[in-house]
Amino acid sequence: MPEQLLTALKQIFGYSSWRDGQAEIIAAALAGRDCFVLLPTGGGKSLCYQLPALQLPKVTVVVSPLMSLMKDQVDTLQANGIAAAYVNSSLSREAVLEVLNQLRYDELKLLYVAPERLLQPQFIERLQEVGVSLFAIDEAHCVSQWGHDFRPDYMALAQLRQHFPGVPVMALTATADPATQQDIVQQLALQQPFIHRGSFDRPNIRYTVQEKFRPLEQLLAYLKQQENHSGIIYCSSRRKVDELTAQLQEKGFKAAAYHAGHDATHRQQVQDAFKRDDLALIVATVAFGMGVDKPNIRFVVHFELPRTIEAYYQETGRAGRDGVAAEALLLFDPADIGRMKRWLQTEENNLRAEVTWQRFLSMAAFAEAQTCRRLVLLNYFGEARQQPCGNCDICLNPPQRFDGTELAQKALSCVYRVNQNFGLHHVIEVLRGSQSQKVLDLGHDKLSTWGLGKELSHDYWLSIFRQLIHHGLLQQDISHHSVLRLLPVARPILRGEQRLQLAVPRLQSAPKMASSKLAVQHYDRVLFARLRALRKAIAERDDVPPFVVFSDATLIDMCQKLPTDQPTMLSVSGVGQTKLSRYGDDFMTEICRYLDEDVPAGGKLA
């Protein structure tokens, strides 16, 4: 059986080896066991039920939360020659009847449905008539009240046990802390399940946090480095999404907004354009993303601090699902912490507010960390690691330290001189010797601390003050307009009894970092661009997203192996028999044509 499965893996899906845990999970599913699968986004979860579905006698029913995700997965399966379909509200009545007929005559191996549809009595009766071999519950964290994306409809899935007592259930998720994992097993009534907890690590993603100074300038500088790659920019509000999209469009970027305030037609048009590589940038609220099965997203930017590490992890995980190098940039303003606290004060459920606050503090601690970002993430999810990753901003560009005692004394003294009644920016204005009308009207130009820090920029001082807050020397009183208050531990610093080490402020918009420990992928960029253009043309001809034809990782492998015959093309990762017959000749012809040409500048050498 293992040999047979490996053959199917290569011939149908085009892969020569298993990813972490796949072989064991598939074996357990074929043995009729319930399974709990925790694998990172891009870790190969879908294959864990798709391959068994081809070996099992009856249909495998996949519960999926979003319509667009169903369509993408079904398109990809059909491109591999697999009989798959979906049923959701986007289909006409005639199209639904066609799918149900296929189901009735055993013509489907995989059927994707939403939980609401699955639990309708008539639908359950129909499935009982035809028989089900396996239920796969995707995005299973939606079943748990402890999960970050709880959906009440998912809780009702426990009813499957009553209607299909002998049918195994596989629960799959990429994002679940230990409490959520345990709750998933209980809520779905999994019976002595085979449990696989894979690593949360996504080593191809580079995590970077930049302190916010001039966020739009920082973002523009970053985007100019991205060479028109696909990316998502997350904002916390619809207003910010619309505002930022307009600013990016004014600067010439092909960007579109996506949030729940837009009608369904607009959202679908934006998502389709993004999936088809007609649009490079999506600016979105968290309403966008879970249903996006686009593997070649090269970067994700968080323009504001996410509310939980779970949300941050899942959203950054939409980058680099093809295993190719990707980036996650977070722009962090410590003031976000105060804004979150004020928002939670309106929450009537105290227990929920407390849990939300603690999770948010974990996210803030990640942003403020001076240790390896990946270690913070992995240890949060209970995956004990001590070795730094070598592929985050802290590892690649460690913070530089200096004796900041004198600067701290100036800053703390200025807070004292303004009677602890003003916020960050006004205190900085006084330190820098501003002659603004407000400073003059208050007489703060007469203070002994006025102009003491005029040689340093506003942004530099802003970083110093934020560090003093982090060190517990100052507090922003959110109940009184975020004015700065001195804390008792500031006294030894003010008196010169204690020295203070601070980090050198990082004010550059987009720092160039050293190369990571990851092996650099060497391939011909010119050929890659040509194969990418060919992929786009074929995708438009077949009316599918480009990644359904081949992923970026497959195109890179082609650039490295330069296949000009069928056996070599079959050795390329992601090329199976069906895709070889459909697309192989076109890509081999393009590669032969390229190899016969003169060497272009920058080609055949990278």
Side-chain angles (χ1 to χ4, degrees), residues 143-271:
V143 81
S144 172
Q145 293 193 64
W146 299 112
H148 67 282
D149 195 25
F150 169 62
R151 300 189 179 203
D153 293 318
Y154 259 66
M155 284 196 75
L157 291 172
Q159 298 173 25
L160 290 175
R161 282 287 175 220
Q162 302 164 20
H163 300 299
F164 302 90
V167 179
V169 175
M170 181 184 293
L172 306 102
T173 180
T175 320
D177 59 18
T180 305
Q181 295 172 33
Q182 185 177 357
D183 202 29
I184 291 170
V185 172
Q186 291 176 348
Q187 293 292 345
L188 293 176
L190 301 185
Q191 308 294 313
Q192 298 181 316
F194 173 80
I195 295 176
H196 178 81
R197 295 185 180 92
S199 172
F200 279 91
D201 194 10
R202 292 284 306 282
N204 63 313
I205 297 179
R206 174 176 292 180
Y207 297 102
T208 302
V209 178
Q210 286 185 23
E211 194 172 351
K212 268 187 180 179
F213 294 103
R214 293 181 173 84
L216 181 59
E217 291 178 21
Q218 289 171 276
L219 178 63
L220 291 172
Y222 178 77
L223 294 179
K224 286 173 183 174
Q225 298 177 4
Q226 297 308 313
E227 301 176 355
N228 295 316
H229 287 311
S230 291
I232 305 172
I233 303 168
Y234 282 109
C235 300
S236 61
S237 69
R238 300 177 188 180
R239 180 189 61 78
K240 177 56 72 174
V241 165
D242 291 334
E243 176 186 296
L244 187 58
T245 302
Q247 290 170 326
L248 292 176
Q249 289 172 343
E250 285 175 11
K251 297 293 184 180
F253 289 95
K254 292 179 68 176
Y258 185 107
H259 56 64
H262 295 136
D263 61 51
T265 301
H266 171 87
R267 293 200 304 271
Q268 193 61 52
Q269 288 172 344
V270 169
Q271 189 159 305

Side-chain angles (χ1 to χ4, degrees), residues 138 160 221 371 379 389 458 496 530 547:
D138 205 5
L160 290 175
T371 55
N379 284 302
C389 72
H458 184 282
R530 287 176 58 157
F547 61 79

Side-chain angles (χ1 to χ4, degrees), residues 562-606:
L562 300 174
T564 56
D565 55 51
Q566 289 197 353
T568 311
M569 181 61 88
L570 272 175
S571 74
V572 172
S573 177
V575 180
Q577 289 288 351
T578 300
K579 287 195 174 182
L580 174 68
S581 63
R582 287 186 182 177
Y583 311 124
D585 287 344
D586 289 332
F587 282 86
M588 286 187 289
T589 299
E590 184 64 26
I591 290 168
C592 287
R593 185 181 296 124
Y594 178 70
L595 292 175
D596 289 340
E597 295 173 359
D598 293 333
V599 179
K604 306 183 183 178
L605 301 173

Side-chain angles (χ1 to χ4, degrees), residues 69-193:
L69 184 62
M70 295 182 200
K71 185 178 187 309
D72 288 347
Q73 293 214 352
V74 168
D75 282 346
T76 302
L77 287 165
Q78 291 177 347
N80 282 318
I82 297 170
Y86 61 86
V87 173
N88 61 40
S89 58
S90 71
L91 297 182
S92 65
R93 184 173 181 276
E94 292 73 19
V96 171
L97 290 174
E98 173 60 28
V99 172
L100 295 179
N101 274 331
Q102 290 177 289
L103 184 64
R104 178 182 178 186
Y105 292 108
D106 288 331
E107 295 174 1
L108 292 177
K109 298 307 293 181
L110 288 125
L111 177 64
Y112 286 72
V113 295
E116 303 89 333
R117 171 82 63 165
L118 173 60
L119 295 172
Q120 289 176 358
Q122 287 182 316
F123 201 82
I124 285 175
E125 287 177 17
R126 192 175 291 269
L127 289 178
Q128 288 172 329
E129 288 172 7
V130 300
V132 177
S133 286
L134 173 68
F135 285 104
I137 315 296
D138 205 5
E139 308 291 352
H141 55 270
C142 295
V143 81
S144 172
Q145 293 193 64
W146 299 112
H148 67 282
D149 195 25
F150 169 62
R151 300 189 179 203
D153 293 318
Y154 259 66
M155 284 196 75
L157 291 172
Q159 298 173 25
L160 290 175
R161 282 287 175 220
Q162 302 164 20
H163 300 299
F164 302 90
V167 179
V169 175
M170 181 184 293
L172 306 102
T173 180
T175 320
D177 59 18
T180 305
Q181 295 172 33
Q182 185 177 357
D183 202 29
I184 291 170
V185 172
Q186 291 176 348
Q187 293 292 345
L188 293 176
L190 301 185
Q191 308 294 313
Q192 298 181 316

Side-chain angles (χ1 to χ4, degrees), residues 324-467:
V324 179
E327 297 182 8
L329 172 65
L330 167 62
L331 296 176
F332 171 54
D333 181 350
D336 289 342
I337 299 172
R339 283 192 283 269
M340 183 63 164
K341 192 161 192 175
R342 284 194 296 276
W343 179 80
L344 282 174
Q345 287 171 348
T346 65
E347 172 62 62
E348 295 179 1
N349 185 320
N350 291 335
L351 177 59
R352 185 180 301 160
E354 180 61 25
V355 170
T356 303
W357 177 240
Q358 292 305 319
R359 285 188 163 174
F360 181 75
L361 286 180
S362 296
M363 185 65 233
F366 168 84
E368 294 174 336
Q370 298 291 313
T371 55
C372 169
R373 306 284 180 197
R374 203 174 310 270
L375 288 184
V376 178
L377 277 179
L378 296 179
N379 284 302
Y380 174 85
F381 285 113
E383 185 175 333
R385 292 275 188 98
Q386 286 77 43
Q387 191 65 32
C389 72
N391 194 30
C392 72
D393 59 324
I394 297 294
C395 289
L396 295 171
N397 189 17
Q400 295 180 351
R401 300 283 177 177
F402 75 105
D403 186 337
T405 308
E406 185 179 340
L407 291 184
Q409 289 171 333
K410 291 179 180 179
L412 297 170
S413 296
C414 197
V415 172
Y416 177 76
R417 294 297 175 190
V418 298
N419 295 318
Q420 304 180 67
N421 276 330
F422 294 87
L424 264 175
H425 296 287
H426 181 76
V427 177
I428 292 173
E429 290 284 280
V430 174
L431 266 177
R432 297 191 67 244
S434 168
Q435 295 187 3
S436 69
Q437 196 61 49
K438 182 180 179 182
V439 169
L440 298 176
D441 288 347
L442 291 165
H444 287 172
D445 58 323
K446 305 294 194 296
L447 297 176
S448 59
T449 52
W450 183 81
L452 272 183
K454 60 185 176 184
E455 74 282 1
L456 299 175
S457 71
H458 184 282
D459 291 345
Y460 195 100
W461 275 117
L462 186 59
S463 177
I464 297 299
F465 272 96
R466 285 171 174 173
Q467 291 185 61

